Amino acid sequence: MTSAVIVGASGGIGRALVERVVANGAHAPVFALSRSGADLGAGAVAGLIDVTDEESIQAAAGRVAENGPVGLTLVATGLLHGPGVAPEKALKALDPAALARLFAVNTTGPALVAKHIVPLMPRTGRSVFAALSARVGSIGDNRLGGWYGYRASKAALNQILRTLAIELARTHPEAIVAGLHPGTVRTALSHPFRPDADSPDTVTPEAAAARLLAVLDGLTPAESGRVFAWDGQLVPP
């Protein structure tokens, strides 16, 4: 049995993914990695990681490596708003520090997780590396404009995943790399921008986790490198 690694495990979707993967029982141990190192209960191995610090990622990967190959990696980190960071409505709102922060968390972080975790994936048999992306990262689907930094950082993440899939296929023919659009989930990330909590257009983190894992279960290596929405539909590049 291979292990599973969930990065961003203390967030809304990350925590729900940990609980679901533990309950499924297909992977053990299940590493729940986050900046807080929060204990998420029986079946999960808590650990520290900061996706903006490569030494932290490398150290976390070293601990994971002690438990054998990794069959499932889920990067559930993301930044949309926070101190000094907010979705831009117009070009005049662009701020270089905010852009750098968005790319550090949304693009560079998952790329560095891949750098240190992918070498732990088995060369034979099915394995998955997935990261939370967003439909607004689609260039072809951009009809409203705005949100420059978030859109661009997620579009860059999608390119990282596509490029990783091409490289990985040469040595891991059964591996799958995917971006995942979870929809509008009732978490702190989406709170200022989502409809009312009872709207049918929003889902709980638990429902989102179940849907995303179901999408991953249905993917084949031929679909590696693409981005899929919560309902299994392909998100345009």
Side-chain angles (χ1 to χ4, degrees):
M1 183 180 290
T2 58
S3 66
V5 176
I6 293 89
V7 178
S10 62
I13 298 177
R15 182 182 296 268
L17 286 168
V18 170
E19 294 172 353
R20 193 82 181 184
V21 172
V22 168
N24 286 349
H27 300 278
V30 176
F31 291 94
L33 308 180
S34 66
R35 284 184 299 172
S36 66
D39 184 355
L40 300 186
V45 179
L48 292 169
I49 196 168
D50 180 349
V51 298
T52 65
D53 179 356
E54 186 174 9
E55 289 187 3
S56 168
I57 297 170
Q58 186 173 21
R63 295 190 295 272
V64 169
E66 296 173 359
N67 289 268
V70 177
L72 173 65
T73 303
L74 302 169
V75 183
T77 53
L79 176 66
L80 173 58
H81 61 90
V85 178
E88 311 91 347
K89 294 182 179 180
L91 187 65
K92 64 183 179 182
L94 285 180
D95 175 74
L99 286 172
R101 178 66 178 164
L102 286 163
F103 273 82
V105 175
N106 295 338
T107 310
T108 307
L112 292 175
V113 171
K115 175 183 175 180
H116 292 283
I117 295 294
V118 164
L120 307 181
M121 293 168 59
R123 286 180 173 252
T124 59
R126 191 180 194 272
S127 57
V128 174
F129 183 98
L132 293 189
S133 186
R135 184 177 292 278
V136 296
S138 167
I139 294 174
D141 196 48
N142 184 357
R143 296 178 178 84
L144 297 176
W147 291 32
Y148 283 88
Y150 189 70
R151 286 185 186 275
S153 63
K154 289 296 187 179
L157 169 63
N158 296 346
Q159 184 68 284
I160 292 286
L161 295 173
R162 176 60 178 167
T163 305
L164 171 61
I166 293 170
E167 178 177 349
L168 201 55
R170 300 176 184 137
T171 54
H172 299 64
E174 297 175 76
I176 296 168
V177 178
L180 297 171
H181 168 59
T184 304
V185 186
R186 298 168 200 165
T187 63
L189 182 143
S190 67
H191 183 267
F193 312 100
R194 66 175 185 247
D196 293 339
D198 295 331
S199 169
D201 295 327
T202 67
V203 296
T204 65
E206 292 74 21
R211 298 191 309 190
L212 295 177
L213 289 173
V215 170
L216 290 178
D217 285 344
L219 297 182
T220 67
E223 297 168 298
S224 186
R226 301 178 182 181
V227 180
F228 295 89
W230 58 269
D231 57 359
Q233 296 298 307
L234 184 67
V235 175

